[in-house]
Amino acid sequence: MNTDLSRMKQRNFNPDSVPGEYNFLDTWMTFNGRRWLAGAMAGIFAGLAMVIFGAIICASKGVDVTFPAKVGALPWLGAECLEFGSMKAIVIGLLSHLSLSALLGASYAHFTGVNNPKALFGMGITWGIFSWIFIHNLMARSIPAYRTADLPTGIMFFAWLVFGVSLMSVAVFDRLLAKDA
């Protein structure tokens, strides 16, 4: 019988003793400010990637390319913010979107806790899908202006996947911040 398998069956299994296993509970219970900052930076990067993805889709459909940047302003300014040429809506929308992105990125970094590309990719896909379900389809739809804008759910699914996969950049930001420490 495999010794790793027999160890897993033991009552006091320690995942740190098996290569490739992570003890996420220890990671989740530990405050790591550098990791949270790296996550916030990755979140801002992922938020920008999501907006750029949306702008490319809008350009291909002949829609205002600033539309994705204005979506974040819907709760604050209402549906009028989507009018062409509203610089106030672009600024407020980007600030709102990137603030939420930074918060989601910091949470993602805290809960992943590792820089393993496979783990980050899997969690990025999961994070993107859950964000699409809970943020786009449930929470944001409770805002009348967002519901009125009627954003296409299919395209938003792929936009959230771009966001989730882009969160993998947390490993890069974590390494950059570790060099400065």
Side-chain angles (χ1 to χ4, degrees):
M1 180 177 261
N2 186 347
T3 58
D4 287 341
L5 184 59
S6 63
R7 267 192 269 152
M8 292 168 97
K9 291 180 181 179
Q10 292 175 359
R11 182 177 204 128
N12 296 321
F13 169 67
N14 180 1
D16 295 330
S17 65
V18 179
E21 293 291 327
Y22 302 101
N23 190 343
F24 282 112
L25 186 58
D26 284 346
T27 302
W28 295 344
M29 299 303 289
T30 304
F31 172 76
N32 184 344
R34 188 189 85 223
R35 180 79 180 173
W36 286 14
L37 179 59
M41 293 165 71
I44 291 169
F45 173 79
L48 289 172
M50 186 179 184
V51 169
I52 291 168
F53 173 80
I56 291 168
I57 296 296
C58 287
S60 72
K61 302 285 184 186
V63 179
D64 178 18
V65 294
T66 63
F67 182 84
K70 297 175 191 175
V71 170
L74 282 168
W76 316 114
L77 302 177
E80 303 82 41
C81 74
L82 299 178
E83 293 175 2
F84 187 79
S86 176
M87 190 57 158
K88 179 180 177 183
I90 293 171
V91 171
I92 291 174
L94 279 175
L95 286 174
S96 178
H97 174 68
L98 295 178
S99 296
L100 176 62
S101 297
L103 178 66
L104 290 172
S107 301
Y108 170 85
H110 176 74
F111 287 113
T112 54
V114 297
N115 289 333
N116 180 316
K118 290 178 185 176
L120 291 176
F121 180 76
M123 277 302 294
I125 294 290
T126 304
W127 210 260
I129 291 171
F130 276 94
S131 296
W132 173 73
I133 291 169
F134 291 105
I135 294 174
H136 172 72
N137 289 314
L138 295 175
M139 293 180 350
R141 299 251 182 218
S142 69
I143 300 167
Y146 193 89
R147 201 171 42 251
T148 302
D150 197 30
L151 299 174
T153 302
I155 293 172
M156 290 303 294
F157 175 77
F158 291 106
W160 279 107
L161 282 181
V162 166
F163 177 82
V165 171
S166 297
L167 285 175
M168 289 178 64
S169 63
V170 71
V172 173
F173 291 114
D174 194 31
R175 286 187 201 110
L176 287 174
L177 292 174
K179 285 182 182 176
D180 292 339

